[in-house]
Each structure stands twice: as structure tokens, then as C-alpha cells.
Amino acid sequence: MNGHMPVDPEEYFTQVAAGLDGLALVPDEVLWEIVTRDGACMQLYRLDLEPEWARDELTDRELAARICAHCPVQWECLELQLRTSGEHTLGVWGALSAEDVRALHPVWQSRRQSQGRRRGGQDGGQE
Ligand code: SF4
């Protein structure tokens, strides 16, 4: 993720949703622990630091690109936000603006639902 909107948003959101597949089975509390411990913005908050660009006039996408650029837990942060706020997201999370997280949410949700159905089938569940 880089905070830049690509030429084809649908394809972009499909790729981002696919990138989150590996986190599907990680419990919420584990994601929460990882994000609050290692998130770049959390470090700034803990150290009470203000980035040099904090007072710049930035769009949400520009802010996401700056604050999250070197964050090591972008995927975990985005996964957690999709689970907890999803279509009602506000602010910047996982290197995406709120607008982009809201657009990603139905793509992510539909992918998860179809994976859940497949897993149910593999585990002997009824489809
Ligand atoms: S991805 Fe961005 S919002 Fe999420 S923890 Fe990292 S810096 Fe903070």
C-alpha cells in the first residue's frame, strides 16, 4: 500500500483485499496488540512527538501516505480497522484514507465471506 489511488480502483481494492487474506484467522486482540505496540503513529503518540509536517494542509490520502509510509504494521492496522469500523471508518488507517477504507470494505467483506464458505466446505461443513 502506498496511499496513492491507482488508475483502476476496483482492481486496486481487489489486490489490497487479497493482501489481507493471510490475516483472516488472526484474532482481533492479537491484531490490536501488534498495532498498538508497533504502529508508527502509536510511537509518535507515546513519545509525544509532532511530525514536522503536522501543521501542513494535507488531504486524507496525503496524510495516510506520510504518517503510514514507514509503518511496519500497515496490513494489521488495515485488517483491524476493516473488522471494527469498516464502512463507518473515519480518519487514516493502514495507509489508506477513510474514503478508501470505506470503498475497500465491501470488497474485503465479500472475499472473506466466500473464503468462509470454502473453509466450511473443506472442514466438512454444509454449503
Ligand atoms: S498503518 Fe498508519 S494508522 Fe496504522 S498504526 Fe501504522 S502509522 Fe498508525
Side-chain angles (χ1 to χ4, degrees):
M1 284 170 290
N2 59 17
H4 299 293
M5 179 51 63
V7 178
D8 181 351
E10 193 177 321
E11 186 182 327
Y12 175 70
F13 290 129
T14 300
Q15 286 176 6
V16 173
L20 292 163
D21 286 352
L23 296 172
L25 300 179
V26 179
D28 290 359
E29 54 273 20
V30 173
L31 291 174
W32 177 257
E33 186 184 331
I34 291 169
V35 171
T36 54
R37 186 190 61 212
D38 300 333
C41 61
M42 306 291 170
Q43 301 280 354
L44 289 174
Y45 180 72
R46 256 195 301 278
L47 298 171
D48 199 21
L49 295 174
E50 186 175 83
E52 61 198 32
W53 44 261
R55 294 172 199 276
D56 293 353
E57 293 273 327
L58 299 171
T59 65
D60 270 5
R61 281 197 185 126
E62 290 168 336
L63 185 62
R66 289 210 195 168
I67 195 166
C68 305
H70 303 293
C71 181
V73 296
Q74 289 180 11
W75 292 100
E76 291 84 354
C77 178
L78 184 56
E79 172 73 19
L80 188 61
Q81 190 61 9
L82 286 163
R83 289 186 196 179
T84 55
S85 298
E87 61 194 326
H88 305 294
T89 291
L90 296 172
V92 166
W93 300 96
L96 294 183
S97 67
E99 181 185 351
D100 290 343
V101 174
R102 288 195 293 267
L104 170 63
H105 185 258
V107 180
W108 169 85
Q109 192 171 45
S110 150
R111 193 172 173 90
R112 283 299 159 83
Q113 284 167 350
S114 70
Q115 287 171 335
R117 282 194 294 276
R118 276 203 302 277
R119 263 199 303 276
Q122 286 168 0
D123 294 344
Q126 302 294 314
E127 293 219 53

